[in-house]
């Protein structure tokens, strides 16, 4: 017997003895299933965590969008049920408990809770709609403070007693406690003042406007309501007494009819059509008798513009101060000196310029001992150590400017640990921006020394912007447009915006500066560029007739002035793919000739290749901005030199000025979507107010150019198909004289292309002048010679 058998035998014997004893006693042996059932209660605690883990896995598999949708539906349904419970007299146990708690805590303000739940739920369900407003943190805080203020005010107006809390009236427990604390701290009169200040502060946060603008808007709304009520009462009195004269009840001053101007000539009284670019002669010299001295306009007595520029503090946010670390800069300077010395190119740091994105260390090369004596370290040796310096400084990439223009040292630009954002308002309020007196000035950003940099579009006179996706190109375009809209009224500046991507510039739709809505269809861009060329030619005709050379001289002598025109094309690559020849021809002609007429171009592209930024386009755009690109080849296409491939992105750029020998590294300005929306809303409101003014011809409002309704924005055909080709009659006479017709003969004799000659052949076939195509022959027979005798046949 094996040891295993010996060890098992006692247990087996016990089992068998226990089986016999149970059977001998008449008790049946316990089956195995019974033992399993006895163990099942102990397995319940282990099954609960498994179920929870499965539910947790199922919850994690649901996407965040579906969770928000479910939350929105739940909030909307719960808010609707709670609102119905508030207005119903019969409620259940749970709803009665919730309503009692809400009424005690919020009083009369409990009615706003279900409404807010329904609104939030609907917003969560419909959050992906484009036109749905996005809530901002200041507005939400202002709404909460306004609600709290309303609870406190309601409790004070209802008596301010604590007994109202138990009755569910007034402002509830929250309003009663807040009012009690204010009275205890400031007294009854002081509490009223604090409550009023609290209300004003809440409204300022909610509307995102200053107190002055808020009071002006409330005053305008009150005056409009009073005027509307006066008009309604006067209309009721006129309808009640139809035979009463109309002059018995005078209207308010703003509804009085304007005085007639009988001495104006018919041509000078034409609205806006006389300044159409398609008819420049009509706008330069009006026909008819001269105007009298009382009504003739003069440059000295021109009416003021009705447009008002927006306030800078109401549109742009305050800049945040940037933190500087002087100890880190000195440590990096020591590392640069040690690294250069270890590689045999000693130098010492003589200047440290801390910018928003990079810090430039000015390194002056030292002298070394050679066979020929003491010589200075070559600049090329320091440039070749760029990768070694980046490794020593633990920097992602560095850029070496050798040498810095106008300085006696080499600039080593090292990225900062923390990149600070350059606010647009900070640059606009700087002396560099105020020093420029041009209406087309705009803020560029800050250089590596932290100095603000601004530029003038009129002096460029055109701008080319290029960079990869996400490098800051669109933010730069928005910053330029924001600067132009902050400092120019629609009477001074008009815009033509082209956005094939449909998402970057379409937010500017509705502002009065636009000549046409943002062009998003690429087929309409060529028509817009051709309109700009016609406007340019029309302005040159006006300049020639009055004897001036540019727009500034014309506006100084004549009224109304002509506005500047700025065309912004956000993506040039799409246009060059669709119609490269027409696009290049139009852009080149405008860039060469449009400067004197006040027409300027801003081109932006994310594909700076030679087939997009051609040599002809680049030669007419001396001012260029290069953001981060993929390779040095793209940098050479933009700037004619490498360097843009080492930029950091997110607004880091190289600006090549027309009068500068080398590009300057800048950190571009940042303008947020909220700031742009404030500016767009301001100009939309101003345009809506201008539409309620009297007619421009009577009130003297400054006229501005618009796209004429008869000018298409698409490329038209060379001739009208209904009227026919102008060469059709000449082709018919030629065919009748020759006694035969063919496409090649028309091409040769009329000097036209194949497509036009084939159309002429088809047109003559439809008229029955020539026969249809003959088999195996390109020549057509002449069927109708008309008054012309057929040519004599050869014998």
């Amino acid at each position: 017997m094996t040891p295993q058998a010996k060890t098992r035998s006692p247990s087996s014997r016990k089992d068998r003895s226990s089986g016999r004893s149970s059977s001998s006693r008449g008790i049946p042996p316990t089956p195995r299933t019974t033992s399993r059932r006895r163990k099942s209660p102990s397995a319940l605690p282990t099954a609960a965590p498994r179920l929870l883990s499965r539910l947790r896995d199922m919850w994690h598999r649901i996407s965040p969008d579906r969770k928000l949708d479910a939350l929105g539906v739940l909030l909307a349904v719960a808010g609707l049920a709670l609102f119905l419970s508030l207005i119903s007299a019969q409620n259940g146990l749970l709803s009665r408990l919730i309503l009692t708690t809400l009424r005690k805590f919020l009083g009369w303000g409990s009615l706003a809770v279900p409404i807010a739940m329904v609104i939030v739920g609907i917003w969560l369900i419909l959050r992906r709609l484009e036109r749905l407003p996005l809530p901002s943190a200041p507005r939400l805080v202002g709404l909460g403070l306004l609600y709290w203020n309303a609870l406190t005010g309601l409790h004070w107006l209802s008596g301010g007693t604590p007994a109202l809390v138990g009755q569910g009236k007034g402002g509830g427990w929250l309003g009663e406690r807040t009012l009690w604390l204010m009275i205890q701290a400031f007294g009854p009169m002081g509490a009223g003042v604090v409550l009023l200040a609290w209300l004003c502060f809440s409204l300022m946060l909610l509307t995102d406007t200053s107190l002055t603008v808020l009071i002006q808007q409330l005053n305008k709304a009150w005056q409009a309501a009073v005027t509307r009520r006066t008009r309604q009462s006067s209309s009721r009195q006129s309808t009640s007494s139809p035979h009463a004269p109309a002059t018995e009840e005078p209207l308010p001053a703003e509804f009085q009819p304007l005085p007639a101007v009988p001495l104006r000539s018919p041509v000078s009284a034409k609205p806006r059509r006389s300044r159409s670019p398609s008819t420049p002669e009509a706008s330069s010299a009006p026909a008819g008798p001269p105007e009298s001295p009382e009504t003739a306009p003069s440059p000295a007595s021109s009416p003021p513009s009705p447009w008002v520029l927006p306030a800078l503090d109401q549109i742009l946010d305050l800049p945040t101060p940037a933190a500087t670390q002087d100890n880190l800069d000195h440590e990096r300077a020591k590392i640069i000196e040690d690294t250069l010395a270890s590689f045999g190119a000693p130098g010492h740091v003589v200047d440290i310029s801390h910018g928003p994105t990079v810090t430039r260390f000015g390194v002056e090369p030292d002298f070394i001992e050679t066979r020929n004596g003491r010589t200075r370290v070559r600049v090329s040796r320091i440039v070749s150590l760029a990768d070694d310096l980046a490794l020593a400084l633990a920097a992602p990439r560095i850029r070496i400017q050798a040498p810095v223009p106008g300085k006696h040292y080499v600039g080593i630009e090292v990225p900062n640990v923390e990149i600070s954002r350059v606010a647009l308002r900070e640059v606009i309020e700087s002396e560099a921006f105020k020093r420029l007196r041009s209406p087309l000035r705009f803020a560029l950003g800050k250089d590596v020394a932290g100095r603000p940099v601004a530029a003038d579009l009129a002096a460029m006179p055109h701008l080319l912007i290029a960079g990869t996706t996400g490098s800051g190109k669109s933010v730069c375009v928005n910053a330029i447009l924001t600067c132009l809209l902050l400092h120019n009224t629609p009477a001074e500046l008009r815009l033509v915006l082209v956005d094939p991507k449909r998402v970057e510039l379409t937010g500017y739709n509705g502002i009065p500066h636009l000549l046409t809505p943002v062009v998003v269809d690429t087929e309409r861009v060529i028509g817009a560029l051709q309109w700009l060329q016609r406007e340019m030619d029309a302005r040159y005709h006006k300049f020639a007739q009055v004897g001036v050379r540019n727009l500034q001289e014309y506006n100084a002598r004549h009224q109304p002035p002509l506005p500047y025109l700025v065309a912004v094309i956000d993506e040039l690559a799409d246009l060059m793919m669709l119609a490269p020849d027409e696009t290049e021809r139009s852009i080149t002609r405008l860039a060469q000739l449009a400067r004197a007429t006040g027409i300027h171009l801003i081109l932006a592209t994310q594909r700076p290749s030679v087939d997009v930024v051609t040599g002809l386009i680049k030669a007419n755009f001396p001012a260029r901005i290069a953001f981060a690109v993929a390779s040095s080849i793209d940098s050479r296409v933009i700037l004619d030199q490498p360097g843009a491939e080492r930029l950091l992105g997110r607004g880091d750029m190289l600006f090549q000025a027309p009068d500068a020998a080398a590009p300057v590294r800048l950190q571009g300005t940042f303008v947020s979507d909220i700031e742009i929306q404030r500016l767009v809303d301001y100009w939309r409101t101003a345009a809506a107010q201008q539409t309620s003014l009297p007619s421009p011809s009577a009130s003297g409002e400054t006229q501005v150019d618009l796209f004429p309704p008869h000018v298409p924005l698409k490329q038209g055909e060379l001739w009208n198909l209904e009227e026919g080709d102008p060469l059709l009659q000449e082709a018919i006479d030629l065919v009748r004289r020759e006694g035969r017709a063919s496409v090649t003969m028309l091409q040769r004799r009329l000097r036209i292309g194949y497509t036009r000659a084939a159309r002429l052949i088809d047109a003559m076939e439809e008229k029955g002048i020539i026969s249809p195509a003959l088999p195996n022959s390109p020549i057509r027979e002449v069927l109708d010679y008309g008054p012309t005798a057929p040519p004599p046949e050869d014998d």
Side-chain angles (χ1 to χ4, degrees):
M1 183 180 296
T2 60
Q4 296 178 356
K6 291 180 180 179
T7 55
R8 285 198 212 101
S9 58
S11 60
S12 61
R13 282 196 297 269
K14 287 181 181 180
D15 294 338
R16 286 195 295 269
S17 62
S18 61
R20 284 195 299 266
S21 60
S22 60
S23 59
S24 62
R25 293 175 185 175
I27 302 175
T30 305
R32 295 182 180 179
T33 56
T34 307
S35 61
R36 291 181 181 177
R37 289 176 182 174
R38 289 177 181 174
K39 294 180 180 180
S40 59
S42 62
L44 288 177
T46 60
R50 294 178 183 176
L51 181 61
L52 292 177
S53 63
R54 289 181 181 178
L55 293 176
R56 194 181 301 109
D57 294 339
M58 291 176 60
W59 175 254
H60 288 311
R61 291 194 191 102
I62 302 175
S63 62
D65 290 338
R66 300 289 78 79
K67 294 177 182 177
L68 290 178
D69 293 339
L71 180 61
V73 173
L74 182 62
L75 285 176
V77 173
L80 183 60
L82 188 60
F83 180 77
L84 295 177
S85 301
L86 280 171
I87 62 177
S88 177
Q90 298 178 356
N91 296 316
L93 181 62
L94 180 61
S95 61
R96 191 182 302 113
L97 178 62
I98 295 174
L99 293 179
T100 303
T101 305
L102 282 178
R103 285 170 179 167
K104 287 184 178 180
F105 188 74
L106 300 175
W108 290 335
S110 60
L111 186 62
V113 174
I115 298 176
M117 293 174 62
V118 173
I119 293 175
V120 173
I122 294 176
W123 186 88
L124 288 175
I125 296 172
L126 306 177
R127 66 187 181 277
R128 293 187 178 180
L129 295 181
E130 295 181 358
R131 297 184 179 181
L132 199 66
L134 296 176
S136 60
R139 293 180 185 271
L140 292 178
V141 172
L143 183 61
L145 291 177
L146 183 62
Y147 179 70
W148 193 0
N149 181 271
L151 292 180
T152 309
L154 284 175
H155 197 80
W156 196 0
L157 294 176
S158 60
T161 58
L164 296 174
V165 178
Q167 301 175 4
K169 297 180 180 180
W173 180 85
L174 181 61
E176 191 271 334
R177 289 288 91 187
T178 306
L179 181 61
W180 180 82
L181 289 175
M182 291 171 59
I183 293 176
Q184 292 295 325
F186 306 103
M189 299 300 295
V193 174
V194 172
L195 199 63
L196 182 60
W198 185 0
L199 176 62
C200 295
F201 180 72
S202 303
L203 291 176
M204 288 169 57
L205 287 179
L206 182 61
T207 58
D208 199 8
T209 55
S210 63
L211 184 60
T212 306
V213 177
L214 186 62
I215 294 174
Q216 291 178 356
Q217 293 178 355
L218 292 176
N219 188 21
K220 289 180 180 179
W222 174 259
Q223 291 180 357
V226 171
T227 305
R228 191 182 304 108
R229 188 173 182 180
T230 306
R231 293 188 65 187
Q232 291 177 357
S233 61
S234 61
S235 62
R236 292 194 194 99
Q237 291 179 5
S238 61
T239 53
S240 60
S241 56
H243 300 288
T247 57
E248 291 183 359
E249 184 69 23
L251 294 177
E254 56 180 308
F255 293 100
Q256 291 289 343
L258 292 170
V261 188
L263 298 178
R264 282 192 181 271
S265 61
V267 177
S268 61
K270 283 185 179 180
R272 185 171 301 179
R273 185 65 63 128
S274 61
R275 293 193 54 199
S276 172
S278 59
T279 59
E281 296 82 2
S283 61
S284 59
E291 297 179 352
S292 65
E294 298 178 358
T295 59
S298 61
S301 62
S302 60
S305 176
W307 304 99
V308 179
L309 292 176
L312 189 65
D313 55 350
Q314 298 177 6
I315 303 299
L316 302 180
D317 297 332
L318 289 173
T320 56
T324 59
Q325 299 179 358
D326 296 335
N327 296 332
L328 181 61
D329 293 341
H330 290 293
E331 292 176 1
R332 286 187 169 186
K334 185 66 170 58
I335 293 174
I336 291 175
E337 293 178 352
D338 296 342
T339 305
L340 292 177
S342 63
F343 284 97
H348 58 279
V349 177
V350 296
D351 180 71
I352 299 177
S353 300
H354 189 87
T357 305
V358 298
T359 300
R360 186 181 67 188
F361 296 91
V363 177
E364 183 179 1
D366 289 341
F367 291 91
I368 57 175
E369 296 292 338
T370 61
R371 296 179 180 178
N372 299 328
R374 296 178 71 249
T375 59
R376 190 179 291 272
V377 176
R378 293 172 178 261
V379 175
S380 59
R381 294 189 60 183
I382 299 178
V383 175
S384 62
L385 298 176
D387 295 336
D388 299 298
L389 289 172
L391 178 63
L393 295 170
R397 62 183 69 178
I398 66 172
R399 177 176 176 265
I400 298 180
Q401 191 177 14
V404 177
K407 303 295 182 180
H408 61 281
Y409 52 77
V410 178
I412 300 178
E413 299 172 357
V414 183
N416 295 334
V417 178
E418 295 181 1
I419 297 177
S420 59
R421 181 177 296 173
V422 179
L424 181 61
R425 180 175 176 178
E426 184 180 2
V427 182
I428 290 179
E429 293 178 347
S430 63
E431 291 296 331
F433 187 86
K434 296 178 181 178
R435 199 178 301 118
L436 298 175
R437 299 297 181 183
S438 174
L440 299 183
R441 55 184 177 173
F442 62 91
L444 274 174
K446 288 185 177 182
D447 58 6
V448 293
R451 293 186 296 265
V453 178
D456 181 14
L457 184 61
M460 290 184 177
H462 311 289
L463 181 62
L464 175 64
I465 305 173
T468 58
T469 303
S471 59
K473 174 174 56 64
S474 300
V475 177
C476 179
V477 173
N478 286 322
I480 294 174
L481 289 176
T482 302
C483 289
L484 295 179
L485 294 177
L486 281 172
H487 299 90
N488 294 275
T489 63
E492 301 169 350
L493 173 68
R494 306 312 296 268
L495 298 175
V496 177
L497 304 183
V498 178
D499 183 15
K501 294 184 291 187
R502 301 172 183 264
V503 294
E504 296 294 344
L505 303 179
T506 51
Y508 294 96
N509 277 326
I511 63 175
H513 296 75
L514 291 181
L515 284 170
T516 184
V518 178
V519 181
V520 297
D521 192 357
T522 53
E523 297 179 357
R524 296 168 55 90
V525 179
I526 304 301
L529 293 177
Q530 291 177 354
W531 183 90
L532 287 174
Q533 295 182 58
R534 291 192 294 269
E535 173 66 14
M536 178 186 67
D537 296 335
R539 291 192 176 191
Y540 270 122
H541 280 292
K542 296 177 183 178
F543 296 168
Q545 290 174 2
V546 299
V548 296
R549 299 179 57 185
N550 50 42
L551 184 67
Q552 290 78 12
E553 296 181 6
Y554 181 87
N555 290 340
R557 299 182 185 180
H558 296 81
Q559 292 292 335
L562 293 176
Y564 286 92
L565 292 179
V566 177
V568 180
I569 300 178
D570 187 38
E571 187 50 60
L572 182 63
D574 291 347
L575 307 183
M576 296 299 291
M577 291 176 60
L578 180 65
D581 297 335
E582 293 83 355
T583 302
E584 184 179 13
R585 188 183 305 113
S586 302
I587 290 176
T588 303
R589 188 168 185 269
L590 286 171
Q592 291 174 348
L593 302 175
R595 176 179 184 176
T597 61
I599 300 176
H600 304 275
L601 301 178
I602 299 177
L603 304 182
T605 180
Q606 61 181 359
R607 201 183 73 185
S609 56
V610 293
D611 56 342
V612 175
V613 185
T614 61
L616 195 58
I617 292 178
K618 191 167 62 172
N620 293 281
F621 284 79
R624 304 163 197 166
I625 294 178
F627 289 91
V629 294
S631 63
S632 61
I633 299 176
D634 296 338
S635 178
R636 291 180 184 273
V637 171
I638 308 170
L639 300 174
D640 297 327
Q641 59 180 330
E645 73 279 1
R646 289 186 172 271
L647 297 178
L648 304 176
R650 300 180 64 84
D652 191 14
M653 64 180 180
L654 291 174
F655 171 62
Q656 176 66 61
D659 54 350
V664 181
R665 187 171 187 177
L666 305 173
Q667 174 64 28
T669 56
F670 176 79
V671 54
S672 62
D673 296 337
I674 298 177
E675 295 172 340
I676 297 175
Q677 191 62 39
R678 292 177 196 159
L679 183 61
V680 172
D681 292 342
Y682 174 85
W683 282 118
R684 286 175 181 172
T685 306
Q689 294 176 356
Q690 292 299 323
T691 55
S692 61
L693 293 178
S695 61
S697 60
S699 63
E701 182 184 355
T702 303
Q703 300 285 346
V704 290
D705 291 335
L706 289 174
F707 276 178
H710 61 277
V711 175
L713 288 182
K714 290 187 178 181
Q715 177 65 36
E717 299 181 357
L718 294 178
W719 60 84
N720 191 354
L721 296 178
E722 297 180 357
E723 299 177 358
D725 194 338
L727 294 179
L728 180 59
Q729 188 60 39
E730 186 177 351
I732 293 174
D733 296 339
L734 175 62
V735 166
R736 286 173 174 174
R737 289 196 306 269
E738 296 293 334
R740 60 189 179 86
S742 66
V743 176
T744 56
M745 183 189 71
L746 295 181
Q747 286 183 262
R748 185 176 63 257
R749 300 293 293 274
L750 299 179
R751 294 186 178 90
I752 58 177
Y754 175 82
T755 304
R756 193 172 185 182
R759 287 183 177 180
L760 290 174
I761 291 292
D762 295 339
M764 288 187 288
E765 181 182 350
E766 292 178 359
K767 293 179 177 295
I769 298 175
I770 60 176
S771 64
L774 301 177
N776 301 326
S777 177
I779 299 176
R780 309 284 188 97
E781 295 181 356
V782 180
L783 303 179
D784 182 11
Y785 285 94
T788 305
E793 298 180 359
D794 297 336
D795 297 335

